[in-house]
Amino acid sequence: MARLTLAFRSPGENFDKWQAAFAALMPDLSFVHWRDVSDPGAVDAVMCWLPPEGWLASFPKLRLVQSLGAGVDHVLKDGRYPAHVPLVRLVDPAMTRAMTDFVTFQVMRLHLGEPTYRRQQQVGLWEPHVPLRTVDRRVGILGLGELGTATAAALVRIGFDVAGWSRTPKDLPQVTCFSGEAGFAPFLARSDILVCLLPLTSATEGILSAATFAQMPQGAGLINVGRGGHLVEADLLAALDSGQLSEAVLDVFQTEPLPEAHPFWTHSRIVVTPHVAAVTNPATASLVVADNLRRLQAGEGWPDRVDLASGY
Ligand code: NDP
Ligand code: OXD
């Protein structure tokens, strides 16, 4: 079989780790850093995060674009994306596990009132609050895909009353499933803690807005691990000020890194994490990419191929 050439481009720059992983897994692979590509016509596949506009279109024989993340909005931002080239998302069981751990931890924090006790400690206030039982806490998950489904299952195992919302109808064990526009309002009305695990598309941009918060129970919590573009930042600040929302955990932002002077950094009801809910790890993700490259060579399809029309 012909030797494959895979070009790598990521602002994260962990080329060496990927190189070591591929050397062990696919010794025949020609794995090149984008700066070292001498012949663009020899590149079969690209693995990237946030490629600059037009860069992908510069490879005349490109047959696969592998996203370095589960989300692909960073690739589809490129208005010159070569539409004939398959785009494949990264679906790595280790990342799925990381996301379920992160969300479970944050849901637990909000459920147990940890932010309240931190604020009370700062002013030396001894004030116990009667905890809700997990079965009485309604968690809503926006997006029931790879990550949303696994996260819902983890929260069900703990005992939460879990619902989810997706574009197409779903039937998941012990998860109350809502879908489409008609399912949005009833889903929000029973979300004491709302978790955003949607992809960023033209249909989901700005979905975490004042109109959405107004339909949630007063004092609800928000966990955004989808994308910063889902959240209307000013609406969140207003909802926290008015008490419509009580707490927010934000892992993703309109601008990353979050600018130094941004009000989220110092807000007493916002927890900021630096886009770490599920970090791509070359040690495990290389196994997934190797299989996707094998599929390319074998002429097989990819289960995680992105539908360019829907954008995820
Ligand atoms: P999937 O593509 O597997 O799932 C997406 C889900 O969102 C599906 O259930 C889909 O519905 C639903 N959806 C999409 N559009 C709409 C819409 N318009 N209305 C209602 N539901 C919609 O994605 P993943 O679960 O793998 O990942 C989700 C996102 O998580 C990524 O796109 C990325 O942005 C984010 N992410 C964040 C990370 C972090 O570290 N913070 C790490 C990894 C991912 P349906 O099932 O009907 O198609
Ligand atoms: C991803 C991410 O999409 O890390 O994988 O955000």
Side-chain angles (χ1 to χ4, degrees):
M1 232 175 244
R3 191 170 194 233
L4 276 182
T5 296
L6 173 67
F8 172 91
R9 181 164 195 156
S10 165
E13 286 294 357
N14 45 4
F15 180 78
D16 293 353
K17 287 201 177 118
W18 285 100
Q19 193 173 41
F22 286 133
L25 281 174
M26 300 184 78
D28 284 341
L29 179 72
S30 163
F31 182 57
V32 270
H33 193 282
W34 68 274
R35 282 195 209 96
D36 299 328
V37 173
S38 52
D39 176 11
V43 171
D44 302 288
V46 154
M47 185 167 77
C48 59
W49 181 268
L50 210 56
E53 173 99 15
W55 181 67
L56 294 169
S58 71
F59 300 105
K61 296 198 179 140
L62 193 60
R63 292 185 287 141
L64 175 68
V65 175
Q66 168 72 62
S67 167
L68 266 169
V72 291
D73 50 296
H74 63 101
V75 176
L76 295 177
K77 255 183 192 169
D78 178 355
R80 288 157 64 196
Y81 183 86
H84 64 282
V85 181
L87 169 61
V88 175
R89 343 184 284 109
L90 185 62
V91 177
D92 174 358
M95 275 173 82
T96 305
R97 176 56 199 255
M99 182 59 84
T100 60
D101 287 352
F102 184 92
V103 174
T104 301
F105 169 68
Q106 299 296 352
V107 167
M108 274 299 198
R109 279 187 56 254
L110 300 189
H111 169 65
L112 294 173
E114 201 269 348
T116 302
Y117 292 122
R118 287 287 73 75
R119 285 190 291 270
Q120 287 186 197
Q121 183 175 351
Q122 276 165 10
V123 292
L125 177 65
W126 181 278
E127 187 177 72
H129 307 275
V130 179
L132 266 192
R133 299 180 308 163
T134 49
V135 285
D136 295 326
R137 184 75 72 187
R138 300 164 301 173
V139 183
I141 302 184
L142 287 165
L144 287 175
E146 217 40 62
L147 302 176
T149 299
T151 301
L155 294 170
V156 163
R157 280 196 293 277
I158 294 170
F160 288 107
D161 180 356
V162 181
W165 183 71
S166 51
R167 194 169 56 84
T168 56
K170 300 267 182 284
D171 185 9
L172 301 174
Q174 295 176 70
V175 178
T176 308
C177 294
F178 298 88
S179 60
E181 239 173 85
F184 197 50
F187 162 79
L188 291 175
R190 47 93 67 225
S191 293
D192 299 322
I193 299 174
L194 183 69
V195 179
C196 179
L197 266 169
L198 287 167
L200 183 62
T201 67
S202 54
T204 64
E205 188 171 3
I207 194 167
L208 302 175
S209 66
T212 293
F213 303 147
Q215 296 176 70
M216 292 164 62
Q218 185 159 30
L222 172 71
I223 299 172
N224 187 18
V225 279
R227 283 289 181 262
H230 288 130
L231 178 67
V232 182
E233 296 188 342
D235 289 3
L236 172 65
L237 292 171
L240 290 169
D241 280 354
S242 71
Q244 179 56 29
L245 294 185
S246 59
E247 315 283 347
V249 176
L250 307 176
D251 184 55
V252 284
F253 303 89
Q254 295 274 2
T255 305
E256 295 183 6
L258 187 63
E260 208 179 326
H262 200 287
F264 288 173
W265 279 119
T266 49
H267 199 290
S268 65
R269 292 181 180 273
I270 294 179
V271 162
V272 168
T273 54
H275 201 143
V276 289
V279 175
T280 300
N281 178 353
T284 55
S286 56
L287 297 166
V288 178
V289 177
D291 187 54
N292 287 339
L293 293 172
R294 181 196 62 74
R295 287 170 176 275
L296 174 66
Q297 277 181 309
E300 291 173 20
W302 298 272
D304 304 315
R305 182 172 176 175
V306 171
D307 169 20
L308 295 182
S310 60
Y312 72 97

